[in-house]
Amino acid sequence: MRIVHHIILVLLLAACAPRGTLNLYEGASEIGEVQRIYVGTTREVDAQGFPVGNRSRNLIYGRFDVSVPPDREPGSIEWPHSQTPDPSRHFLLDKHFPIKSPGEFQSLLRKELRTRRQEERTAIIFVHGFNNNFAEGLYRFAQLTEDLDLPFLPIHYSWPSAGQALGYGYDRDSMLIARDGLEAVIRNVSDTGVGEVLLVGHSMGALLAMETLRQMAISDGRAGLGKIGGVILISPDIDIDVFRAQAERIGKLPQPFYIFTSTRDIALRLSAGLTGQTARLGNTTDVEKLAELDVTMVDISAFSDGKIDHATALASPSFLRLLRSVPDVGAAYGGDPSTRVGLIPGTVLVVQNATRLIVTPITQ
């Protein structure tokens, strides 16, 4: 009966959520702010060259220029759907450029890097989560890049999620298939002359990120992870024991290593119930289980509204404003816990190597 209850709840919540669509609107950049996102994907592509939900054996590259509308609430994404696309209100695709080969992909990234200052030669690879179609993952990354004013070179790895609420099994298998593709993207980006690579995984994408790091560590040890300058797992849909096993096999984790969690995450509560557990990594409060690992858990439950999409760290206006108000986020989560509270309001708990930071809105 518990499984039936979970399925019914997923259906009810998912039915209320509008789905993202990719709308090509050349000239949207005249009104919106363009975020140029480079993409590596193991999805099949349609006649327009847009990735879909089916799995591909090939790793395909492209560049997508996303127009972000002005004067909107941070964290928000509005889709045109049946309405006439409006660059002043909607996220739209301004331009799309297919990239024919890994060599061309690297060449374009090198050209992009030459226009940047040395301190901006960091690449950020974003890996979306469960039940995301291509447009949703792409636009969410564009929204995050815009709202946080990230100075990094943005690359999105889009793996073939079915984009369906009941597609958990399909997505988990797709995630496992997608490990080689993500590894290839990380290695290709690392060879372009970037200073470092920041790897960000959301939901099931966090599991994919950890599996890929584990795979690379097995392949050639720490040398393969040399350019990984930090890892951020957002609402990670990972069994805690699985995460510990992954981390132990990776060895010394890239630093800094952040895990954003929320005890109010309904989606992770459902995922834990389906596996017979009480919690996943993304909604646990038990930092002692990670005590021997050099990680920082950032509990942002106070910013959550309990939505099924468990995108608090990506979509909460108040949390995004808080992050953007901090002059140096790295210092805010730096090595000395005693210095963090003055920059990010909250409570700090340190257990051996692991740190749990409970963040609260400034008004509290």
Side-chain angles (χ1 to χ4, degrees):
M1 285 298 294
R2 180 179 296 179
I3 293 178
V4 173
H5 171 76
H6 288 323
I7 292 174
I8 291 174
L9 184 56
V10 168
L11 286 173
L12 289 174
L13 291 170
C16 300
R19 299 311 303 258
T21 56
L22 204 62
N23 297 86
L24 183 60
Y25 191 109
E26 294 188 6
S29 59
E30 297 177 7
I31 297 176
E33 183 73 25
V34 169
Q35 291 295 336
R36 177 178 295 174
I37 309 293
Y38 290 90
V39 171
T41 182
T42 46
R43 296 174 182 260
E44 287 187 355
V45 297
D46 61 17
Q48 291 181 279
F50 296 160
V52 294
N54 298 334
R55 300 164 182 161
S56 172
R57 296 180 63 86
N58 300 315
L59 177 60
I60 302 167
Y61 290 101
R63 197 190 93 190
F64 293 78
D65 293 355
V66 179
S67 173
V68 180
D71 303 324
R72 61 180 181 85
E73 184 78 351
S76 66
I77 299 177
E78 185 173 346
W79 310 96
H81 297 298
S82 60
Q83 307 171 44
T84 301
D86 181 356
S88 67
R89 297 176 52 206
H90 303 135
F91 275 67
L92 298 167
L93 182 62
D94 181 67
K95 289 184 178 66
H96 164 230
F97 299 92
I99 298 175
K100 297 177 181 178
S101 67
E104 182 181 353
F105 173 70
Q106 290 183 310
S107 177
L108 289 171
L109 293 189
R110 291 190 184 99
K111 183 178 179 180
E112 186 90 27
L113 288 169
R114 285 196 292 269
T115 67
R116 294 170 174 260
R117 296 175 298 178
Q118 188 65 36
E119 61 269 24
E120 295 178 345
R121 294 169 67 86
T122 294
I124 178 171
I125 300 177
F126 176 73
V127 188
H128 67 79
F130 161 66
N131 188 21
N132 271 212
N133 63 36
F134 177 71
E136 289 163 344
L138 176 70
Y139 285 5
R140 179 60 72 187
F141 187 29
Q143 167 260 308
L144 186 65
T145 303
E146 173 74 13
D147 288 342
L148 293 180
D149 194 21
L150 298 178
F152 310 130
L153 179 61
I155 295 111
H156 177 40
Y157 180 66
S158 183
W159 53 277
S161 164
Q164 298 177 9
L166 294 182
Y168 193 88
Y170 179 93
D171 276 16
R172 189 174 178 86
D173 289 343
S174 291
M175 177 276 301
L176 293 172
I177 295 170
R179 290 174 294 188
D180 291 347
L182 178 55
E183 178 179 351
V185 169
I186 293 173
R187 292 188 186 277
N188 285 333
V189 172
S190 298
D191 290 341
T192 61
V194 296
E196 59 182 8
V197 174
L198 176 62
L199 183 60
V200 179
H202 175 236
S203 180
M204 194 178 286
L207 177 58
L208 174 54
M210 286 300 295
E211 280 291 293
T212 303
L213 292 177
R214 178 181 182 275
Q215 176 172 299
M216 294 174 69
I218 291 173
S219 176
D220 48 13
R222 289 293 307 169
L225 306 181
K227 281 294 179 76
I228 305 294
V231 175
I232 299 176
L233 305 183
I234 302 171
S235 306
D237 187 4
I238 309 178
D239 179 276
I240 298 172
D241 291 330
V242 169
F243 175 75
R244 290 178 50 171
Q246 291 168 328
E248 289 170 4
R249 191 64 184 84
I250 291 168
K252 180 176 173 56
L253 293 173
Q255 293 300 313
F257 196 108
Y258 306 137
I259 306 169
F260 285 83
T261 68
S262 171
T263 57
R264 300 177 63 188
D265 192 315
I266 296 176
L268 290 180
R269 201 180 308 160
L270 294 172
S271 177
L274 290 171
T275 59
Q277 304 295 315
T278 57
R280 306 291 275 176
L281 179 64
N283 64 344
T284 186
T285 60
D286 192 355
V287 68
E288 292 188 4
K289 290 187 176 180
L290 308 178
E292 71 276 15
L293 304 177
D294 192 358
V295 299
T296 299
M297 294 175 58
V298 186
D299 186 334
I300 56 174
S301 302
F303 296 87
S304 175
D305 58 9
K307 288 184 178 179
I308 189 70
D309 62 6
H310 69 121
T312 300
L314 306 179
S316 167
S318 56
F319 183 66
L320 290 171
R321 290 192 191 98
L322 177 62
L323 280 184
R324 192 166 180 173
S325 69
V326 177
D328 185 353
V329 176
Y333 299 124
D336 182 1
S338 65
T339 67
R340 298 178 196 158
V341 179
L343 293 170
I344 295 284
T347 303
V348 177
L349 173 65
V350 179
V351 180
Q352 289 181 233
N353 295 324
T355 301
R356 182 170 181 242
L357 176 62
I358 306 173
V359 184
T360 56
I362 294 176
T363 56
Q364 296 183 17

